[in-house]
Amino acid sequence: MRSAALTGYADLCRSLAIPAASLMARVGLEPEILADQDRWIPASAVARLLELSAEASDRPAFALEMSGLRRLSTLGPISLVIREEPDLRSAIEVLLRHQSLYNEALNCALSEEGGLATIIVNLRLPETVKTRQAVELAVGVYHRILRDSLGSGWRPLTVCFAHPAPHPQDDHRRLFGPIVEFGRPFNGIMLYADDLDTLNPDADPQLLAYARHYLDMVTAQPPQTTPEERVRALIEVLLPTGRCSIEHVARSLHVDRRTLHRQLAASGLTFSSLLDTTRVRLATHLVAHRGRSLTEVAGPVGLRVAERLLQMVPGTLRMQRPRVACSGEPAPVDGQRPPKCQGPEHVPPAAARRARRGH
C-alpha cells in the first residue's frame, strides 16, 4: 500500500506519548517513509504496526482516531477524480474500481438490495497477521468519505465488524452512531441506497474529464485479471453478507448473467463451482482462525458446506469452541439491543431516517 496510509500516525503517537520510530522499526519500517506518501510499503507491516500501536497506547480505537486525521488527498491521484464525480455513487464506484492504486490488500465491494446499500470491507493479508486495526482504519476512511458527502449529521444504519467487541465501545459509537455490531459475518457500512444518489454540488464536468484522463495515464498498463480472478474476489467479499448470487456478482462486474456465464465457461468453469470452493475456503478460515464453531459457520457459508467441512477438517476444528466474553452480540444501547446487520426489516422508518440526516 501507499505510505500515505500512515498519514497522521506520527502526530497521533506523539499525542499519546508512544514512540513512533521504535514501533515502526519493530515491523521493518523506517520513519523516513512518512515523508514520501507515494512510496509503497507492505500492507502486512502496516497492519502489524497498527496493532502494536493500539497495544502500546492502550487505545482499542487507535486506528479509528487515525482515520479522523485523513484527507481525501491521502488516496493519491484517484482523489482528483473523486472530487469531481457528479454524485456519491460514482465516487464510491471509482474508489472500488481503483482500490489497488492505494492499497493492494483491499478487496471491497458495494452491494445493493431492497433499498439498502452495503459497502463491504475486506482485507487480503496473511492469516498470521491480526487485522482488527487495519479493518477499522479502512471502515473509518469510508465512513469519513460518506459523511463528508452526506453532511456531519448523517449516520449509517449499521456498522458491522467481524472481530469481537472492544471494551469499552464508546469511541466506536461516538464516531459511527449507536448501532455498531461486532462478531458479524463481514466488515462494512450499511446505508440507504438512495443516499448514494446525493449530488456533488462542487463537481465540474470539465475538470472531471481532465482528472479522468490524468488517472488513465497514471494507471496505464494496469495488471490484467481474468474473469475467474474477478469473480473469485467478489464471491469472497459478498459471501458473508448472504447476497452472493450470480446476479449480484454480474451486476458488480457491470455485465449481465449470460455474459458472465459465457466468460467462465470459456475457462471451463461455472459460477456454482467457484462459489462452492470459496465457501469451503471461507468456512475453513472461520473455524481455524476466528474460533467459530461449525454451527456459526453454517450461517455465512451454508449448512451443506459446513457439514462437508465437518468431514474434511481435523478433529480439533470440529470441536465446539467456547464463546469468549465478547461473543459478537452488540451491547445494549439505552437498555435496548440495536438491530441486526442483515435484513431490511430492521431499517428505521422514513421519519427516523430524515431525522438522522437532519432533513
Side-chain angles (χ1 to χ4, degrees), residues 254-268:
H254 304 289
V255 299
D256 59 33
R257 175 176 177 164
R258 290 184 177 181
T259 300
L260 180 57
H261 177 75
R262 286 196 300 270
Q263 290 175 346
L264 292 176
S267 301

Side-chain angles (χ1 to χ4, degrees), residues 99-100 102-108 121-124 138 142:
Q99 55 192 331
S100 61
Y102 50 93
N103 187 343
E104 83 284 359
L106 277 178
N107 183 25
C108 304
V121 176
N122 191 36
L123 294 181
R124 289 178 167 178
Y142 266 106

Side-chain angles (χ1 to χ4, degrees), residues 155-205:
R155 289 291 183 271
L157 295 174
T158 313
V159 173
C160 298
F161 291 107
H163 49 255
H167 297 288
Q169 302 174 26
D170 297 350
D171 290 328
H172 293 75
R173 300 191 187 283
R174 188 180 303 115
L175 176 63
F176 298 125
I179 308 178
V180 184
E181 298 188 8
F182 297 88
R184 308 311 303 166
F186 66 97
N187 307 295
I189 301 173
M190 180 181 288
L191 64 156
Y192 288 103
D194 62 4
D195 281 344
L196 296 176
D197 298 324
T198 301
L199 297 178
N200 176 7
D202 299 320
D204 185 322

Side-chain angles (χ1 to χ4, degrees), residues 18-234:
I18 59 174
S22 62
L23 289 169
M24 294 179 70
R26 289 176 62 182
V27 299
L29 296 177
E30 301 175 355
E32 290 74 19
I33 66 170
L34 299 178
D36 182 4
Q37 291 199 334
D38 290 320
R39 183 170 172 179
W40 281 80
I41 54 179
S44 56
V46 173
R48 289 195 296 269
L49 176 63
L50 294 177
E51 296 295 330
L52 287 173
S53 303
E55 182 179 350
S57 62
D58 194 25
R59 301 293 279 262
F62 182 88
L64 287 185
E65 294 184 55
M66 264 188 65
S67 71
L69 303 175
R70 302 281 289 271
R71 297 181 178 179
L72 188 60
S73 58
T74 304
L75 298 173
I78 194 174
S79 64
L80 300 175
V81 178
I82 293 173
R83 282 196 184 98
E84 306 304 333
E85 287 292 338
D87 53 54
L88 181 55
R89 184 188 305 277
S90 300
I92 295 298
E93 288 177 348
V94 169
L95 269 177
L96 295 172
R97 187 161 58 249
H98 298 289
Q99 55 192 331
S100 61
L101 284 180
Y102 50 93
N103 187 343
E104 83 284 359
L106 277 178
N107 183 25
C108 304
L110 174 64
S111 174
E112 296 186 56
E113 185 174 10
L116 302 179
T118 305
I119 297 175
I120 307 151
V121 176
N122 191 36
L123 294 181
R124 289 178 167 178
L125 289 171
E127 304 289 2
T128 54
V129 177
K130 295 180 179 179
T131 59
R132 172 191 287 268
Q133 296 296 321
V135 163
E136 293 196 357
L137 177 61
V139 171
V141 169
Y142 266 106
H143 178 267
R144 174 73 181 270
I145 292 171
L146 292 170
R147 195 167 65 173
D148 284 349
S149 297
L150 296 171
S152 59
W154 174 82
R155 289 291 183 271
L157 295 174
T158 313
V159 173
C160 298
F161 291 107
H163 49 255
H167 297 288
Q169 302 174 26
D170 297 350
D171 290 328
H172 293 75
R173 300 191 187 283
R174 188 180 303 115
L175 176 63
F176 298 125
I179 308 178
V180 184
E181 298 188 8
F182 297 88
R184 308 311 303 166
F186 66 97
N187 307 295
I189 301 173
M190 180 181 288
L191 64 156
Y192 288 103
D194 62 4
D195 281 344
L196 296 176
D197 298 324
T198 301
L199 297 178
N200 176 7
D202 299 320
D204 185 322
Q206 189 170 8
L207 283 178
L208 177 60
Y210 283 117
R212 286 178 174 172
H213 178 66
Y214 174 66
L215 185 62
D216 288 342
M217 290 191 298
V218 171
T219 59
Q221 302 298 325
Q224 298 297 314
T225 57
T226 65
E228 175 188 353
E229 291 171 331
R230 292 192 291 272
V231 171
R232 282 189 188 277
L234 279 168

Side-chain angles (χ1 to χ4, degrees), residues 286-351:
L286 290 174
V287 173
H289 298 282
R290 289 190 181 169
R292 305 285 181 86
S293 70
L294 290 176
T295 301
E296 295 171 302
V297 168
V301 304
L303 181 60
R304 179 175 60 84
V305 173
E307 291 175 340
R308 177 181 170 190
L309 186 64
L310 183 63
Q311 301 172 359
M312 296 172 57
V313 299
T316 53
L317 296 185
R318 297 200 299 264
M319 297 174 61
Q320 172 75 34
R321 296 172 184 262
R323 295 183 65 84
V324 293
C326 42
S327 61
E329 286 296 322
V333 179
D334 295 332
Q336 297 182 350
R337 291 194 178 277
K340 296 298 183 183
C341 246
Q342 57 265 32
E345 66 272 15
H346 300 293
V347 177

